[in-house]
Each structure stands twice: as structure tokens, then as C-alpha cells.
Amino acid sequence: MTDAYSSSRLVAGVRTGQQRSIARMISRIELGAPGVDLELAELYGSAGRAHVVGVTGAPGSGKSSLVSALAASLRRDGKLVGILAVDPSSPFSGGALLGDRIRMSDHSGDGGVYIRSMATRGALGGLARATTDAITVLDAAGMELVLVETVGVGQAEVDIVRTAHTTLVVSIPGTGDEIQTIKAGVLEIADIHVVNKADRDGANRIIRDLTGMLRLGPPTPPGEWRAPVLGTVATEGRGIDALAAALHEHYAFLAAGDGLEQRERAMASARVSAIAQNLVAERLTDSGLGDRAAQILDEVYHRTLDPFSAATALVRVTT
């Protein structure tokens, strides 16, 4: 079997939703296997139909339980669901810690759900390029919704906004820093606020605080989406069907106007920029550039060349 034939079969397997092919393709993406970019290029035209949902929030907010419960609700509606649980990279292997897959084991044996843990590999914002590529694979495989659970939330961790159509921000009561969490850019990135573990004391207060802060912010222009604040108890399934309905409502809202096109154009721009940056970074580490790069860096060291001009010179060498 030739490599080209194997690649063709793999792409065909992904397009028909074969889980073994999906798993192999994502593994090839994570490994940066030769030819994987060409395979992704073939799959790209088959994608573009899935509703991509980002789920972010502070550690301990129950994101994994929420995603698992949400997937169960979507499956009851007959939806095909892909789940990418983005874990912190292992400091030893660079791979993902598989806690999320263990916590989502309730879906084992369901062919309508595909779950994969992926490593951040140190990517700013808790997302790596491999995650975005994996979304394309699940999309091309026919998944109707792709749920992407990120590591956390904060000023530097909003990459999910440039990757998803709908962003859920998950909060919990009783942490003592709810207001600080609200200040950390959360209001700006959330399409839907979810207060999980809403059976705890203080849940009503954080729902009220979030709702109040949304009202105190810039007024929502007529016809624009107003982010709802929903309470859930994921471990008991409470509020999950309402959350699923809000997801559908938000996607329908985007599709009814030009919101969906705007988001997808922004997603495309961010993806192309990330790929271009990766290509330049790869070229900079190319052994063939070693002497020229060393010369430029030596000039910076001796302060005969400023670092800004040096960076420009290195980029020119790589293109």
C-alpha cells in the first residue's frame, strides 16, 4: 500500500465518520506527521457545517461534567457530538493528562460521541494549533456540534473566541473571587454565562451579580445578542436542556443575520495567521538558516543591530 493510497483511505475514512480514522488523523496532527497538512487541506472543503462551542472557566468549575451532561442532552436530540478536552501538557511527555476523558466515560460505547483529550503544549490561551486542526477533522467527519473544553479563563486565555461560534463561560459560587473573575475579561468573551453547581450557597448572588454587571456595561444595540446567565447543576442534569436550547438559539441568531459570516471570517483570519506564524517559526529553526541567524543575533548582542530590525531580517530570510 503506497503512502498516497493510505492517505486517501484515511481521508475517506474521516469523511464517513469512522472513529478509527478520526483518531488516527488527530494523532497524526499532534505528531506533525509528514503529509498531514495535505490531508487537512483535503478535509477542509468537507468541513464548515459544525457548530463549534467553546467552554471555558476557572479550574474546578465543573467544565468536564458540564460538557458531558451537555453532550448527553444533545445526543437525546439525535445530534452527533465531538468533544475536545484541552488538558495542560504533561511536563514529562508533552502529552495531555487524560482526566477529562476519564470523567466523560459515561459516553463510552456511544458511536455518536467522539471524545479526545489534547495537550496545550504551552500554547498561549490554552489552545494549540493542533486543537483547531482537530476541530476541522471532527467537522469533516459529520459532527454537528464540536465542544471544546479549554484549560481555564483569564486575560491571556481567550483564544477560544477566535476558534468557536459560541463561547460559554462557566463560573461557580463559593470561590470567594467571583467579582475578580468577572473583571478578568469574562464579560467580553461570553456568549452565554453558566453558573454551574447552582445548588451551592451563593449561586443566586453570583447570577444576580453577573446579570447586573451585564446591564451596567455598554448598552446592547438593538438586534444584537444579549448574553443570558443560566444556572446548572451538571452532575444532576439540572438546567442542561435549557443550556442546550440557548446554544441552538445563539447559533440560529448568528445565522439569521451576518453574525455567522463575521465570526467565520474572523476564525479564518486567526487560523491563517497562526499557521503563518508557525511556518515562520519552523523556518527560523531550520538548520540551513543557522549561520545567517547566528550572525544576526551576534550583531544584536554587540548592539550593532537593534532587535526589531533583526526580527525583520530573519522573517525576510524565511520567506
Side-chain angles (χ1 to χ4, degrees):
M1 183 182 295
T2 66
D3 289 342
Y5 183 58
S6 298
S7 178
S8 178
R9 289 189 62 184
L10 181 59
V11 169
V14 170
R15 283 177 172 152
T16 56
Q18 296 177 17
Q19 293 218 356
R20 177 177 291 185
S21 296
I22 295 171
R24 185 180 172 196
M25 179 65 78
I26 295 178
S27 294
R28 285 175 56 75
I29 288 169
E30 291 192 298
L31 293 170
V36 71
D37 284 353
L38 294 176
E39 292 161 355
L40 284 166
E42 284 192 58
L43 288 172
Y44 188 77
S46 301
R49 294 170 293 181
H51 178 187
V52 183
V53 178
V55 182
T56 190
S61 57
K63 296 188 298 292
S64 295
S65 297
L66 185 73
V67 167
S68 181
L70 184 55
S73 176
L74 295 170
R75 288 296 294 137
R76 286 193 294 272
D77 287 339
K79 301 294 185 182
L80 299 178
V81 181
I83 299 173
L84 296 175
V86 183
D87 289 317
S89 301
S90 164
F92 303 105
S93 67
L97 306 176
L98 301 181
D100 287 323
R101 289 189 78 184
I102 294 170
R103 288 191 291 273
M104 295 180 191
S105 59
D106 289 346
H107 299 289
S108 61
D110 183 351
V113 178
Y114 181 86
I115 303 171
R116 178 77 173 226
S117 283
M118 303 192 71
T120 62
R121 303 185 186 274
L124 180 66
L127 289 178
R129 175 188 161 184
T131 304
T132 308
D133 290 342
I135 291 171
T136 295
V137 172
L138 295 177
D139 189 348
M143 300 299 166
E144 295 168 271
L145 287 99
V146 178
L147 310 179
V148 184
E149 178 196 342
T150 71
V151 174
V153 67
Q155 292 285 5
E157 296 181 356
V158 294
D159 277 5
I160 191 61
V161 176
R162 296 184 287 271
T163 307
H165 299 108
T166 303
T167 300
L168 308 186
V169 174
V170 186
S171 308
I172 53 171
T175 61
D177 61 352
E178 291 93 341
I179 298 301
Q180 180 59 40
T181 300
I182 293 170
K183 290 178 180 178
V186 172
L187 292 180
E188 290 79 8
I189 70 172
D191 295 305
I192 300 173
H193 284 280
V194 181
V195 178
N196 195 29
K197 305 182 182 181
D199 53 342
R200 288 185 176 183
D201 290 341
N204 290 335
R205 181 173 64 84
I206 189 173
I207 290 173
R208 185 173 61 250
D209 288 347
L210 275 168
T211 303
M213 292 196 74
L214 287 168
R215 289 174 178 169
L216 288 173
T220 303
E224 292 295 320
W225 175 261
R226 183 184 295 274
V229 181
L230 305 177
T232 62
V233 183
T235 55
E236 299 176 10
R238 288 162 52 186
I240 300 300
D241 288 345
L243 175 57
L247 285 181
H248 296 314
E249 183 180 353
H250 181 250
Y251 191 78
F253 172 84
L254 293 177
D258 61 358
L260 188 59
E261 178 181 345
Q262 289 180 2
R263 296 218 175 188
E264 292 191 342
R265 284 184 178 275
M267 291 157 66
S269 174
R271 187 171 186 186
V272 171
S273 295
I275 292 172
Q277 291 171 26
N278 286 342
L279 289 173
V280 171
E282 289 171 5
R283 289 292 304 277
L284 287 174
T285 58
D286 191 318
S287 58
L289 295 176
D291 292 342
R292 178 58 178 148
Q295 178 186 347
I296 291 173
L297 293 175
D298 191 56
E299 292 177 21
V300 174
Y301 170 73
H302 289 291
R303 296 187 181 272
T304 58
L305 182 68
D306 66 87
F308 309 101
S309 299
T312 300
L314 283 174
V315 169
R316 285 175 179 166
V317 170
T318 64
T319 56

